[in-house]
Amino acid sequence: MAVELNPVLTEENNIPAAKPQAVAKADKHIWGIFIALCIISVIELYSASSREVASSSIGVMGPILRHLAMLLGGFVLVWFFSRRHYSYFIPFSIGFAAISVAMMLYVMFFGDIVNGARRSLTILGIGIYPAEMVKISAVLMIALVMTWNQNPKDIGITSRGVIYSGLIVLGLSGLLIEQGLTNTLLLLAISYSIMIIGGVKLLHLLALTGFYAVCGGLFIGYLYISEVREIPADAEQQTELATGSGAKHESRIATWMARLDRHGSDSIPKWEIPATGKNRQEILSYMAQANGGIYGVGPGNSREASRLPLAFSDYIFAIVIEELGLIGGLVVLMLYLWLLGRASGIASHCNRTYPALMVMGMAVMIAFQALFHMGIVSGVFPVSGQPLPLISKGGTSIVVTALAFGIMLSVSRTATRQGNKKQEIRDELESLPEQFRDENRMQL
Protein backbone atom coordinates (compact mmCIF):
# COMPACT_ATOMS: atom_id res chain seq x y z
CA MET A 1 0.00 0.00 0.00
CA ALA A 2 1.38 3.41 -0.93
CA VAL A 3 2.37 5.70 1.94
CA GLU A 4 0.87 9.17 1.85
CA LEU A 5 2.98 11.95 3.37
CA ASN A 6 1.02 14.70 5.14
CA PRO A 7 2.83 17.86 6.28
CA VAL A 8 2.98 18.49 10.05
CA LEU A 9 5.04 21.01 12.02
CA THR A 10 7.81 19.93 14.37
CA GLU A 11 8.23 21.73 17.71
CA GLU A 12 11.90 22.55 17.13
CA ASN A 13 11.95 24.45 13.88
CA ASN A 14 8.37 24.45 12.56
CA ILE A 15 9.57 22.55 9.48
CA PRO A 16 6.98 20.28 7.83
CA ALA A 17 7.64 16.63 8.62
CA ALA A 18 6.32 13.44 7.06
CA LYS A 19 3.40 11.73 8.77
CA PRO A 20 2.66 8.27 7.39
CA GLN A 21 -0.94 7.35 6.75
CA ALA A 22 -2.26 4.50 8.92
CA VAL A 23 -2.12 1.13 7.19
CA ALA A 24 -5.45 -0.71 7.04
CA LYS A 25 -5.55 -3.86 9.17
CA ALA A 26 -7.31 -7.14 8.55
CA ASP A 27 -10.41 -7.99 10.55
CA LYS A 28 -9.47 -9.08 14.09
CA HIS A 29 -12.60 -11.20 14.50
CA ILE A 30 -11.77 -13.40 11.52
CA TRP A 31 -8.18 -13.77 12.73
CA GLY A 32 -9.50 -14.72 16.16
CA ILE A 33 -11.86 -17.35 14.76
CA PHE A 34 -9.04 -18.88 12.71
CA ILE A 35 -6.72 -19.10 15.73
CA ALA A 36 -9.48 -20.46 17.99
CA LEU A 37 -10.32 -23.24 15.51
CA CYS A 38 -6.62 -24.14 15.22
CA ILE A 39 -6.28 -24.40 19.01
CA ILE A 40 -9.36 -26.62 19.27
CA SER A 41 -8.02 -28.73 16.42
CA VAL A 42 -4.68 -29.38 18.14
CA ILE A 43 -6.33 -30.29 21.46
CA GLU A 44 -8.94 -32.62 19.99
CA LEU A 45 -6.80 -34.23 17.31
CA TYR A 46 -4.32 -35.34 19.94
CA SER A 47 -7.05 -37.57 21.40
CA ALA A 48 -8.67 -38.49 18.09
CA SER A 49 -5.40 -39.82 16.62
CA SER A 50 -4.97 -42.58 19.23
CA ARG A 51 -6.31 -45.23 16.85
CA GLU A 52 -3.89 -44.13 14.13
CA VAL A 53 -0.98 -44.29 16.58
CA ALA A 54 -1.95 -47.80 17.69
CA SER A 55 -2.09 -49.12 14.13
CA SER A 56 1.24 -47.78 12.86
CA SER A 57 4.88 -47.25 13.79
CA ILE A 58 4.90 -43.46 13.46
CA GLY A 59 5.19 -42.87 17.20
CA VAL A 60 2.90 -41.24 19.72
CA MET A 61 3.63 -37.67 18.62
CA GLY A 62 3.82 -38.37 14.88
CA PRO A 63 0.21 -37.52 13.90
CA ILE A 64 -0.05 -34.39 16.02
CA LEU A 65 3.34 -33.08 14.82
CA ARG A 66 2.29 -33.56 11.19
CA HIS A 67 -0.98 -31.79 11.90
CA LEU A 68 0.84 -28.94 13.64
CA ALA A 69 3.06 -28.58 10.58
CA MET A 70 0.00 -28.39 8.33
CA LEU A 71 -1.66 -25.79 10.57
CA LEU A 72 1.55 -23.76 10.59
CA GLY A 73 1.63 -23.93 6.81
CA GLY A 74 -2.02 -22.86 6.78
CA PHE A 75 -1.20 -19.89 9.00
CA VAL A 76 1.52 -18.81 6.57
CA LEU A 77 -0.93 -19.05 3.67
CA VAL A 78 -3.53 -17.01 5.54
CA TRP A 79 -0.97 -14.31 6.30
CA PHE A 80 0.36 -14.28 2.72
CA PHE A 81 -3.04 -13.99 1.04
CA SER A 82 -4.30 -11.49 3.61
CA ARG A 83 -1.48 -9.14 2.54
CA ARG A 84 -2.61 -9.17 -1.11
CA HIS A 85 -5.11 -6.69 -2.52
CA TYR A 86 -8.38 -8.43 -3.37
CA SER A 87 -7.90 -7.58 -7.07
CA TYR A 88 -5.04 -10.13 -6.97
CA PHE A 89 -7.62 -12.92 -6.87
CA ILE A 90 -9.12 -12.07 -10.27
CA PRO A 91 -6.38 -13.81 -12.32
CA PHE A 92 -5.66 -16.21 -9.45
CA SER A 93 -9.23 -17.56 -9.56
CA ILE A 94 -9.00 -18.61 -13.20
CA GLY A 95 -5.64 -20.33 -12.76
CA PHE A 96 -6.64 -22.09 -9.55
CA ALA A 97 -9.89 -23.34 -11.10
CA ALA A 98 -8.04 -24.66 -14.17
CA ILE A 99 -5.59 -26.59 -11.98
CA SER A 100 -8.44 -27.99 -9.86
CA VAL A 101 -10.35 -29.23 -12.90
CA ALA A 102 -7.22 -30.79 -14.41
CA MET A 103 -6.53 -32.65 -11.15
CA MET A 104 -10.13 -33.84 -10.91
CA LEU A 105 -10.05 -35.17 -14.47
CA TYR A 106 -6.84 -37.04 -13.70
CA VAL A 107 -8.32 -38.50 -10.51
CA MET A 108 -11.44 -39.68 -12.37
CA PHE A 109 -9.35 -42.00 -14.54
CA PHE A 110 -6.06 -42.61 -12.72
CA GLY A 111 -6.61 -41.51 -9.11
CA ASP A 112 -6.05 -43.55 -5.96
CA ILE A 113 -9.09 -45.46 -4.71
CA VAL A 114 -10.13 -44.37 -1.20
CA ASN A 115 -13.31 -45.69 0.46
CA GLY A 116 -14.71 -47.19 -2.72
CA ALA A 117 -14.03 -44.39 -5.21
CA ARG A 118 -11.15 -42.62 -6.95
CA ARG A 119 -10.59 -39.59 -4.74
CA SER A 120 -6.93 -38.58 -4.58
CA LEU A 121 -3.62 -38.33 -6.38
CA THR A 122 -0.13 -38.47 -4.95
CA ILE A 123 2.51 -35.83 -5.71
CA LEU A 124 5.95 -36.21 -4.09
CA GLY A 125 4.47 -38.63 -1.59
CA ILE A 126 1.71 -36.20 -0.54
CA GLY A 127 -1.93 -37.17 -1.05
CA ILE A 128 -4.05 -34.42 -2.62
CA TYR A 129 -7.86 -34.45 -2.71
CA PRO A 130 -8.95 -32.19 -5.61
CA ALA A 131 -12.62 -32.33 -4.50
CA GLU A 132 -11.78 -29.83 -1.77
CA MET A 133 -10.17 -27.55 -4.35
CA VAL A 134 -13.18 -27.77 -6.67
CA LYS A 135 -15.53 -26.36 -4.01
CA ILE A 136 -13.52 -23.17 -3.51
CA SER A 137 -12.97 -22.95 -7.28
CA ALA A 138 -16.75 -22.84 -7.70
CA VAL A 139 -16.98 -19.91 -5.27
CA LEU A 140 -14.18 -18.01 -7.00
CA MET A 141 -15.59 -18.52 -10.50
CA ILE A 142 -19.19 -17.73 -9.58
CA ALA A 143 -18.02 -14.48 -7.96
CA LEU A 144 -16.20 -13.60 -11.18
CA VAL A 145 -19.11 -14.45 -13.47
CA MET A 146 -21.69 -12.66 -11.34
CA THR A 147 -19.51 -9.55 -11.16
CA TRP A 148 -19.02 -9.57 -14.94
CA ASN A 149 -22.77 -9.83 -15.48
CA GLN A 150 -24.24 -7.32 -13.05
CA ASN A 151 -27.63 -5.91 -14.01
CA PRO A 152 -26.89 -2.22 -14.78
CA LYS A 153 -30.40 -1.07 -13.85
CA ASP A 154 -31.36 -3.19 -10.85
CA ILE A 155 -30.10 -5.46 -8.07
CA GLY A 156 -28.92 -8.86 -9.29
CA ILE A 157 -27.31 -10.30 -12.39
CA THR A 158 -28.40 -10.74 -15.99
CA SER A 159 -29.90 -13.90 -17.47
CA ARG A 160 -26.60 -14.57 -19.20
CA GLY A 161 -24.82 -14.46 -15.84
CA VAL A 162 -27.28 -16.98 -14.39
CA ILE A 163 -26.71 -19.32 -17.35
CA TYR A 164 -22.91 -19.09 -17.10
CA SER A 165 -23.00 -19.63 -13.33
CA GLY A 166 -25.30 -22.63 -13.76
CA LEU A 167 -23.02 -24.19 -16.35
CA ILE A 168 -19.99 -23.76 -14.09
CA VAL A 169 -21.80 -25.43 -11.18
CA LEU A 170 -23.10 -28.21 -13.43
CA GLY A 171 -19.64 -28.94 -14.82
CA LEU A 172 -17.97 -29.01 -11.42
CA SER A 173 -20.82 -31.11 -9.97
CA GLY A 174 -20.28 -33.64 -12.76
CA LEU A 175 -16.68 -33.98 -11.65
CA LEU A 176 -17.66 -34.43 -8.00
CA ILE A 177 -20.71 -36.68 -8.09
CA GLU A 178 -18.96 -39.99 -8.65
CA GLN A 179 -16.71 -39.29 -5.65
CA GLY A 180 -19.63 -38.65 -3.35
CA LEU A 181 -23.14 -37.25 -3.40
CA THR A 182 -22.51 -35.12 -0.29
CA ASN A 183 -19.81 -33.02 -1.97
CA THR A 184 -22.16 -32.41 -4.90
CA LEU A 185 -25.05 -31.36 -2.65
CA LEU A 186 -22.69 -29.13 -0.68
CA LEU A 187 -21.51 -27.45 -3.89
CA LEU A 188 -25.13 -26.84 -4.93
CA ALA A 189 -25.99 -25.39 -1.51
CA ILE A 190 -23.01 -23.03 -1.66
CA SER A 191 -23.78 -21.89 -5.22
CA TYR A 192 -27.46 -21.29 -4.46
CA SER A 193 -26.51 -19.21 -1.41
CA ILE A 194 -24.13 -17.01 -3.40
CA MET A 195 -26.75 -16.49 -6.12
CA ILE A 196 -29.43 -15.57 -3.59
CA ILE A 197 -27.06 -13.15 -1.86
CA GLY A 198 -26.13 -11.71 -5.25
CA GLY A 199 -29.77 -10.97 -6.05
CA VAL A 200 -30.62 -13.64 -8.61
CA LYS A 201 -34.38 -13.54 -9.29
CA LEU A 202 -36.61 -16.32 -7.99
CA LEU A 203 -37.80 -17.22 -11.49
CA HIS A 204 -34.21 -17.72 -12.62
CA LEU A 205 -33.47 -19.89 -9.58
CA LEU A 206 -36.51 -22.07 -10.28
CA ALA A 207 -35.49 -22.47 -13.92
CA LEU A 208 -31.97 -23.36 -12.84
CA THR A 209 -33.33 -25.93 -10.38
CA GLY A 210 -35.35 -27.58 -13.12
CA PHE A 211 -32.28 -27.70 -15.35
CA TYR A 212 -30.21 -29.30 -12.58
CA ALA A 213 -32.98 -31.85 -11.91
CA VAL A 214 -33.13 -32.93 -15.55
CA CYS A 215 -29.35 -33.25 -15.85
CA GLY A 216 -29.14 -35.10 -12.53
CA GLY A 217 -31.85 -37.53 -13.57
CA LEU A 218 -30.10 -38.26 -16.85
CA PHE A 219 -26.80 -38.85 -15.06
CA ILE A 220 -28.35 -41.17 -12.46
CA GLY A 221 -30.03 -43.11 -15.27
CA TYR A 222 -26.71 -43.42 -17.07
CA LEU A 223 -25.02 -44.70 -13.90
CA TYR A 224 -27.81 -47.20 -13.29
CA ILE A 225 -27.67 -48.60 -16.81
CA SER A 226 -23.87 -48.81 -16.71
CA GLU A 227 -23.87 -50.62 -13.38
CA VAL A 228 -26.58 -53.06 -14.43
CA ARG A 229 -24.50 -54.02 -17.46
CA GLU A 230 -21.45 -54.62 -15.26
CA ILE A 231 -23.22 -57.02 -12.85
CA PRO A 232 -21.47 -60.41 -13.15
CA ALA A 233 -23.58 -63.39 -14.09
CA ASP A 234 -21.95 -65.84 -11.70
CA ALA A 235 -23.65 -65.95 -8.28
CA GLU A 236 -20.35 -66.11 -6.42
CA GLN A 237 -19.07 -63.05 -8.27
CA GLN A 238 -22.28 -61.21 -7.41
CA THR A 239 -21.72 -61.96 -3.74
CA GLU A 240 -18.15 -60.69 -3.93
CA LEU A 241 -19.30 -57.51 -5.65
CA ALA A 242 -21.95 -56.88 -3.00
CA THR A 243 -19.49 -57.32 -0.14
CA GLY A 244 -16.74 -55.37 -1.84
CA SER A 245 -14.26 -58.25 -1.58
CA GLY A 246 -14.07 -58.89 -5.29
CA ALA A 247 -14.15 -55.39 -6.73
CA LYS A 248 -12.01 -52.30 -6.61
CA HIS A 249 -15.00 -50.09 -5.93
CA GLU A 250 -18.66 -50.65 -5.26
CA SER A 251 -21.70 -49.29 -7.04
CA ARG A 252 -22.15 -45.63 -6.17
CA ILE A 253 -25.93 -45.81 -6.59
CA ALA A 254 -26.09 -48.86 -4.35
CA THR A 255 -24.02 -47.04 -1.73
CA TRP A 256 -26.23 -43.93 -1.85
CA MET A 257 -29.46 -45.92 -1.65
CA ALA A 258 -28.19 -48.10 1.21
CA ARG A 259 -27.21 -45.05 3.24
CA LEU A 260 -30.51 -43.29 2.60
CA ASP A 261 -32.46 -46.44 3.42
CA ARG A 262 -30.51 -47.02 6.63
CA HIS A 263 -30.95 -43.39 7.66
CA GLY A 264 -34.67 -43.15 6.98
CA SER A 265 -35.98 -46.60 7.88
CA ASP A 266 -34.93 -46.80 11.54
CA SER A 267 -38.12 -47.38 13.52
CA ILE A 268 -36.34 -47.68 16.86
CA PRO A 269 -34.32 -45.09 18.79
CA LYS A 270 -30.70 -44.82 17.73
CA TRP A 271 -29.43 -45.88 21.15
CA GLU A 272 -31.25 -49.22 20.74
CA ILE A 273 -29.86 -50.02 17.28
CA PRO A 274 -27.36 -52.91 17.44
CA ALA A 275 -23.90 -52.17 16.05
CA THR A 276 -23.02 -54.04 12.84
CA GLY A 277 -20.22 -53.85 10.33
CA LYS A 278 -22.18 -51.34 8.25
CA ASN A 279 -23.20 -48.91 10.98
CA ARG A 280 -20.30 -49.32 13.41
CA GLN A 281 -18.89 -45.82 12.85
CA GLU A 282 -22.16 -43.99 13.39
CA ILE A 283 -23.10 -46.06 16.45
CA LEU A 284 -19.72 -45.42 18.08
CA SER A 285 -20.16 -41.74 17.21
CA TYR A 286 -23.51 -41.64 19.03
CA MET A 287 -21.93 -43.40 22.01
CA ALA A 288 -19.15 -40.81 22.15
CA GLN A 289 -21.63 -37.94 22.11
CA ALA A 290 -23.79 -39.57 24.79
CA ASN A 291 -20.71 -40.12 26.95
CA GLY A 292 -19.83 -36.42 26.73
CA GLY A 293 -23.07 -35.18 28.23
CA ILE A 294 -23.38 -31.48 28.99
CA TYR A 295 -19.86 -30.68 30.21
CA GLY A 296 -17.74 -33.43 28.61
CA VAL A 297 -15.19 -35.79 30.08
CA GLY A 298 -12.28 -33.38 29.57
CA PRO A 299 -9.57 -33.07 26.88
CA GLY A 300 -7.62 -36.29 26.43
CA ASN A 301 -10.17 -38.46 28.25
CA SER A 302 -12.16 -39.71 25.25
CA ARG A 303 -13.32 -43.30 25.58
CA GLU A 304 -14.36 -43.87 21.97
CA ALA A 305 -11.43 -42.24 20.14
CA SER A 306 -9.48 -45.51 20.17
CA ARG A 307 -12.43 -47.42 18.65
CA LEU A 308 -13.93 -44.93 16.19
CA PRO A 309 -12.14 -45.59 12.85
CA LEU A 310 -12.26 -42.02 11.44
CA ALA A 311 -12.26 -40.11 14.72
CA PHE A 312 -9.54 -37.77 13.43
CA SER A 313 -11.39 -36.73 10.26
CA ASP A 314 -14.99 -37.53 9.34
CA TYR A 315 -16.13 -38.00 12.96
CA ILE A 316 -14.00 -35.57 14.92
CA PHE A 317 -17.02 -33.56 16.06
CA ALA A 318 -18.13 -36.62 18.04
CA ILE A 319 -14.83 -36.50 19.94
CA VAL A 320 -15.24 -32.75 20.47
CA ILE A 321 -18.63 -33.34 22.12
CA GLU A 322 -17.36 -36.31 24.15
CA GLU A 323 -14.46 -34.32 25.60
CA LEU A 324 -15.95 -30.81 25.72
CA GLY A 325 -19.62 -31.73 26.08
CA LEU A 326 -22.66 -30.09 24.59
CA ILE A 327 -21.30 -26.71 25.67
CA GLY A 328 -18.05 -27.25 23.75
CA GLY A 329 -19.96 -28.41 20.68
CA LEU A 330 -22.10 -25.26 20.78
CA VAL A 331 -18.97 -23.11 21.09
CA VAL A 332 -17.53 -24.72 17.94
CA LEU A 333 -20.84 -24.22 16.13
CA MET A 334 -20.95 -20.56 17.18
CA LEU A 335 -17.43 -19.96 15.83
CA TYR A 336 -18.54 -20.96 12.35
CA LEU A 337 -21.76 -18.95 12.60
CA TRP A 338 -19.80 -15.99 13.95
CA LEU A 339 -17.56 -16.19 10.88
CA LEU A 340 -20.62 -16.12 8.64
CA GLY A 341 -22.08 -13.13 10.45
CA ARG A 342 -18.79 -11.23 10.43
CA ALA A 343 -18.37 -11.82 6.68
CA SER A 344 -21.90 -10.54 6.13
CA GLY A 345 -21.05 -7.34 7.98
CA ILE A 346 -17.90 -6.83 5.90
CA ALA A 347 -19.73 -7.52 2.63
CA SER A 348 -22.52 -5.07 3.46
CA HIS A 349 -19.98 -2.25 3.80
CA CYS A 350 -18.02 -2.94 0.58
CA ASN A 351 -18.43 -0.40 -2.20
CA ARG A 352 -17.75 -2.94 -4.96
CA THR A 353 -19.68 -6.12 -5.79
CA TYR A 354 -16.71 -8.44 -6.36
CA PRO A 355 -15.16 -8.31 -2.85
CA ALA A 356 -18.62 -8.59 -1.27
CA LEU A 357 -19.38 -11.77 -3.23
CA MET A 358 -15.97 -13.23 -2.45
CA VAL A 359 -16.05 -12.68 1.30
CA MET A 360 -19.59 -14.05 1.55
CA GLY A 361 -18.82 -17.01 -0.70
CA MET A 362 -15.82 -18.07 1.39
CA ALA A 363 -17.74 -17.77 4.66
CA VAL A 364 -20.72 -19.69 3.28
CA MET A 365 -18.43 -22.46 2.02
CA ILE A 366 -16.74 -22.91 5.42
CA ALA A 367 -19.95 -22.62 7.45
CA PHE A 368 -21.95 -24.99 5.23
CA GLN A 369 -19.22 -27.62 5.26
CA ALA A 370 -19.09 -27.39 9.06
CA LEU A 371 -22.88 -27.72 9.29
CA PHE A 372 -22.86 -30.73 6.93
CA HIS A 373 -20.18 -32.41 9.08
CA MET A 374 -22.07 -31.74 12.31
CA GLY A 375 -25.35 -32.90 10.79
CA ILE A 376 -23.80 -36.17 9.61
CA VAL A 377 -22.09 -36.88 12.94
CA SER A 378 -25.22 -36.10 14.98
CA GLY A 379 -27.44 -38.27 12.74
CA VAL A 380 -29.43 -35.47 11.11
CA PHE A 381 -28.05 -36.33 7.66
CA PRO A 382 -27.17 -39.75 6.17
CA VAL A 383 -23.64 -41.02 6.71
CA SER A 384 -21.00 -39.53 4.42
CA GLY A 385 -17.43 -38.29 4.64
CA GLN A 386 -17.04 -34.54 5.19
CA PRO A 387 -14.16 -32.94 7.16
CA LEU A 388 -14.76 -30.25 9.77
CA PRO A 389 -12.89 -27.17 8.46
CA LEU A 390 -9.54 -26.59 10.20
CA ILE A 391 -10.35 -29.11 12.95
CA SER A 392 -10.33 -32.40 11.03
CA LYS A 393 -7.05 -33.90 9.93
CA GLY A 394 -6.38 -33.43 6.23
CA GLY A 395 -3.77 -31.42 4.37
CA THR A 396 -5.85 -30.42 1.34
CA SER A 397 -8.78 -29.35 3.51
CA ILE A 398 -6.51 -27.20 5.70
CA VAL A 399 -4.87 -25.54 2.68
CA VAL A 400 -8.23 -24.75 1.05
CA THR A 401 -9.71 -23.42 4.29
CA ALA A 402 -6.59 -21.30 4.88
CA LEU A 403 -6.96 -19.86 1.38
CA ALA A 404 -10.59 -18.98 2.16
CA PHE A 405 -9.59 -17.24 5.40
CA GLY A 406 -6.82 -15.38 3.58
CA ILE A 407 -9.27 -14.10 0.97
CA MET A 408 -11.72 -12.93 3.64
CA LEU A 409 -8.95 -11.10 5.49
CA SER A 410 -7.74 -9.55 2.24
CA VAL A 411 -11.20 -8.17 1.54
CA SER A 412 -11.54 -6.89 5.11
CA ARG A 413 -8.22 -5.04 4.75
CA THR A 414 -8.29 -3.70 1.19
CA ALA A 415 -11.93 -3.31 0.12
CA THR A 416 -12.93 0.33 0.55
CA ARG A 417 -15.75 0.78 3.07
CA GLN A 418 -18.76 2.94 2.40
CA GLY A 419 -18.20 6.45 3.67
CA ASN A 420 -14.42 6.48 3.12
CA LYS A 421 -12.61 9.39 1.54
CA LYS A 422 -13.15 10.05 -2.15
CA GLN A 423 -9.44 9.63 -2.86
CA GLU A 424 -9.45 6.11 -1.34
CA ILE A 425 -12.47 5.19 -3.46
CA ARG A 426 -10.68 6.46 -6.59
CA ASP A 427 -7.57 4.46 -5.67
CA GLU A 428 -9.66 1.32 -5.32
CA LEU A 429 -11.32 1.85 -8.70
CA GLU A 430 -7.96 2.37 -10.41
CA SER A 431 -6.73 -0.99 -9.08
CA LEU A 432 -9.64 -2.88 -10.70
CA PRO A 433 -10.42 -3.81 -14.31
CA GLU A 434 -13.32 -1.81 -15.73
CA GLN A 435 -15.84 -4.68 -15.55
CA PHE A 436 -15.23 -5.01 -11.80
CA ARG A 437 -16.03 -1.41 -10.89
CA ASP A 438 -19.80 -1.77 -10.44
CA GLU A 439 -21.15 -0.51 -7.15
CA ASN A 440 -22.24 -3.05 -4.55
CA ARG A 441 -26.03 -3.20 -4.69
CA MET A 442 -26.48 -6.43 -2.77
CA GLN A 443 -28.89 -6.27 0.15
CA LEU A 444 -27.57 -8.24 3.10
Side-chain angles (χ1 to χ4, degrees), residues 85-122:
H85 191 277
Y86 72 82
S87 60
Y88 169 87
F89 298 103
I90 296 173
F92 174 85
S93 299
I94 298 173
F96 187 85
I99 293 173
S100 302
V101 170
M103 286 186 172
M104 279 297 302
L105 289 173
Y106 176 86
V107 167
M108 287 178 65
F109 298 100
F110 310 106
D112 302 327
I113 296 177
V114 180
N115 296 330
R118 296 190 184 276
R119 302 180 189 274
S120 68
L121 70 157
T122 303

Side-chain angles (χ1 to χ4, degrees), residues 216-383:
L218 292 174
F219 182 76
I220 295 297
Y222 165 75
L223 281 182
Y224 178 78
I225 294 173
S226 301
E227 290 171 359
V228 167
R229 289 177 178 175
E230 292 176 1
I231 292 177
D234 182 72
E236 182 178 351
Q237 289 180 330
Q238 290 184 10
T239 302
E240 290 179 351
L241 181 60
T243 60
S245 60
K248 291 184 178 180
H249 63 279
E250 59 183 344
S251 163
R252 298 310 301 164
I253 294 181
T255 301
W256 300 338
M257 295 305 296
R259 289 176 176 176
L260 289 173
D261 182 67
R262 190 166 70 246
H263 178 74
S265 62
D266 293 336
S267 58
I268 59 176
K270 293 185 182 297
W271 59 85
E272 295 181 5
I273 300 174
T276 64
K278 292 183 178 180
N279 67 1
R280 182 168 178 266
Q281 285 195 111
E282 49 197 293
I283 296 299
L284 290 175
S285 168
Y286 302 148
M287 292 172 66
Q289 294 171 72
N291 187 43
I294 302 297
Y295 303 105
V297 297
N301 295 320
S302 171
R303 182 186 66 190
E304 304 300 333
S306 60
R307 298 197 298 166
L308 190 58
L310 296 177
F312 51 81
S313 57
D314 294 348
Y315 283 88
I316 195 167
F317 190 63
I319 307 303
V320 170
I321 295 180
E322 184 181 16
E323 295 193 346
L324 304 181
L326 176 62
I327 294 175
L330 290 176
V331 168
V332 172
L333 172 62
M334 290 306 299
L335 285 174
Y336 292 110
L337 296 181
W338 183 10
L339 177 68
L340 188 60
R342 192 64 184 175
S344 178
I346 293 171
S348 64
H349 290 89
C350 289
N351 280 326
R352 310 272 78 83
T353 298
Y354 179 61
L357 284 173
M358 278 216 305
V359 71
M360 280 305 302
M362 297 302 154
V364 165
M365 181 191 72
I366 293 173
F368 272 27
Q369 182 160 327
L371 292 174
F372 267 58
H373 175 97
M374 295 175 187
I376 292 167
V377 170
S378 60
V380 177
F381 300 146
V383 174

